[in-house]
Amino acid sequence: MALLGATFCCLLTIWQCPPGLGLPLAPAGFPSPAPAVGQFWHVTDLHLDPTYHITDDHAKVCASSKGINASDPGPFGDVMCDSPYQLILSAFDFIKNSEQEASFMIWTGDSPPHVPVHELSTDRVISVIANMTTTVQSLFPNLQVFPALGNHDYWPQDQLPTFTSKVYSAVANLWKPWLDEEAIRTLRKGGFYSQKVSTNLNLRIISLNTNLYYGPDVVTLNNTDPADQFQWLESTLNISQQNKEKVYIIAHIPVGYLPYSMSTTAMREYYNEKLIDIFRKYSNVIAGQFYGHTHRDSIMVLSDKKGNPINSLFVAPAVTPVKSVLQKQTNNPGVRLFQYHPHDYTLLDMLQYYLNLTDANLKGVANWKLEYILTQTYDIEDLQPKSLHGLAKQFAIPESKKFIKYYNYFFVSYDNSVICNAKCKAFQVCAIMSLDHNSYVDCLKQYYVKHNL
């Protein structure tokens, strides 16, 4: 296990990072003393593989390749492997040196590697999460960070329980510097919490344990409200509504349908429908939703039952570049910066940064770069539901150049020759626009008829 110490200090000096972009000017009509734009970082799916090392035997470069040969291993990783510590450190070092002023960071889970169950244990999983937490706290001692647990942040993976456990207790202790007593209490009890942002007291972060709703979690089978999280969520949102707070929802496993397969929700369908109902009910309180898990870059727009867009959702790509042997595509490592209105917390823009892994390994330097700015790339006004809904409609147009861009960014510019055929596009567009069962089925039907599929 690579811990900070001397290695950390040594590695920290070798990355040359470009300065961040300047902030946009304040919109007309708003008072000037307050900052024109608030900002926060989103990182997800670090998946540290402590076994990663360069060796002539490519089958033994990393445990996460599961005996498959690494394709082209270098100091910052390989597409058959989870992240070496040096890759993760380069991402956080880029954030630290970006010169972007951020109020907080969200970190949506999955620190341990993708390895067979017998190669991990509860103590090893806790050790990896502790390593990543120490890395973040050492680099950002004055930044409030809001973590969410991922399905790999447990042993055995996916089997997160509905009651307190060694992992829940461990992360409650590790994340104490960022959270208040009530947040620590619910985190210890069920792996979820809510917490006000210290620099924005009318903004609350709700960190959900959506792993409880994940298909492979046998612990929660036939449980209508695992860990009473639905009841707690409704109560928390109701109090926020009464107190005129705004809420950002963060979690690992997203709501909605997977954009790369047909009619498959990311979590069990019953739980997806339940969450969608709650999010619709409190859409005036929820100012944004942020997820990880898929390792891909995607957006979703939640609409009410009449089809009016009411919430914007963002799935962030992973830091790990790992893929399975059967997958043709993977992602370049990515991190992102959101911009929001400091008065009402509406989302204004998103800057996606990435590392060209091939280039970094070739040059021995992690040159993280701006991949795109969402509003500029798609020529939209902001990140509000209406703007994203209009964009999704443009994506649906045959031969849409905006959709071609979107699909390239879906893989974080890993392969710009990638093509999404008509069926692939139907799954993508319907996953963006239709998050519940009925609207998704209708979307596919309409899309298939309209485009003669």
Side-chain angles (χ1 to χ4, degrees), residues 305-434:
K305 289 186 177 179
K306 295 177 181 176
N308 303 305
I310 53 173
N311 241 202
S312 300
L313 300 83
F314 303 87
V315 181
V319 170
T320 183
V322 75
K323 73 181 185 75
S324 73
V325 70
L326 297 175
Q327 287 177 304
K328 289 180 181 176
Q329 300 293 331
T330 189
N331 59 287
N332 274 313
V335 297
R336 54 180 41 176
L337 182 74
F338 282 95
Q339 297 184 334
Y340 63 90
H341 197 294
H343 297 281
D344 61 9
Y345 311 108
T346 54
L347 295 167
L348 300 174
D349 215 343
M350 189 270 285
L351 289 73
Q352 178 66 43
Y353 297 94
Y354 81 115
L355 180 69
N356 182 317
L357 186 63
T358 306
D359 185 62
N361 281 337
L362 201 63
K363 294 175 180 171
V365 177
N367 185 19
W368 286 79
K369 294 178 180 177
L370 178 69
E371 185 186 23
Y372 69 91
I373 300 173
L374 202 147
T375 58
Q376 292 182 20
T377 290
Y378 299 118
D379 192 25
I380 58 175
E381 187 177 342
D382 52 29
L383 273 52
Q384 291 310 292
K386 187 178 177 183
S387 298
L388 294 186
H389 191 258
L391 177 61
K393 285 184 172 179
Q394 291 178 53
F395 286 166
I397 297 167
E399 312 299 324
S400 164
K401 288 182 179 176
K402 287 185 178 180
F403 178 76
I404 292 168
K405 270 190 204 175
Y406 178 81
Y407 195 64
N408 179 45
Y409 293 145
F410 182 70
F411 298 105
V412 198
S413 299
Y414 176 72
D415 175 9
N416 59 16
S417 68
V418 68
I419 292 171
C420 187
N421 65 22
K423 278 194 176 180
C424 160
K425 187 172 175 179
F427 301 157
Q428 286 277 346
V429 170
C430 289
I432 294 170
M433 299 181 77
S434 306

Side-chain angles (χ1 to χ4, degrees), residues 42 45 76 112 149 166 182 230 239 250 265 285 325 328-329 360 441:
H42 184 185
D45 293 87
F76 298 100
L149 284 166
K166 196 172 178 181
E182 176 59 16
F230 289 137
I239 292 167
I250 70 169
T265 46
V285 180
V325 70
K328 289 180 181 176
Q329 300 293 331
V441 170

